[in-house]
Amino acid sequence: QVQLVESGGGLVQAGGSLRLSCVASGNGFSINDMGWYRQAPGKQRELVAVISSAGTTSYADSVKGRFTISRDNAKNTLYLQMNSLKSEDTAVYYCNADYRRWGRGPYDAWGQGTQVTVSS
């Protein structure tokens, strides 16, 4: 199976920036879409941004113009550049990947999550 490991979360003041990373590892896999989701306390997990293997991106309305999703396919790494952070961006951020392994699938993988806290 594919394992996803996120990093880059932390505490930042409102208006600040953070960059999240997610590295995929495993054998015999190819990744299709990758995305970032987030879950705030007491709320459902929501989609933040998604990027296809070809680089097509889509964003939640709440982060458009502030967040940028990107990926390095050679490094199997997904990024989320977050600028102009707001207190309402506080959440645990999860990396997600839709992948095939040894020609089978698709399968779905999730990272363990990284906490982002924005202080006002």
Side-chain angles (χ1 to χ4, degrees):
Q1 63 183 23
V2 168
Q3 293 185 330
L4 304 177
V5 178
E6 301 105 332
S7 61
L11 174 64
V12 63
Q13 288 189 333
S17 299
L18 282 176
R19 188 193 195 204
L20 305 183
S21 299
C22 170
V23 179
S25 63
N27 295 315
F29 68 92
S30 62
I31 298 177
N32 301 317
D33 292 351
M34 298 188 80
W36 290 99
Y37 290 73
R38 66 187 181 186
Q39 187 166 20
K43 295 187 177 181
Q44 291 187 332
R45 190 173 297 189
E46 63 175 1
L47 175 67
V48 175
V50 64
I51 184 168
S52 72
S53 56
T56 302
T57 60
S58 181
Y59 297 89
D61 287 344
S62 59
V63 306
K64 281 181 181 177
R66 300 187 298 121
F67 291 10
T68 302
I69 189 171
S70 61
R71 64 192 284 177
D72 185 332
N73 292 330
K75 295 181 179 179
N76 292 318
T77 301
L78 177 71
Y79 304 99
L80 185 68
Q81 178 66 44
M82 305 185 293
N83 298 328
S84 302
L85 282 161
K86 305 175 181 180
S87 58
E88 51 263 44
D89 295 318
T90 295
V92 177
Y93 283 71
Y94 297 91
C95 174
N96 172 263
D98 172 52
Y99 69 97
R100 291 184 178 274
R101 188 166 182 263
W102 302 119
R104 299 178 180 177
Y107 304 107
D108 200 38
W110 289 91
Q112 81 288 352
T114 185
Q115 176 70 46
V116 171
T117 303
V118 183
S119 63
S120 56

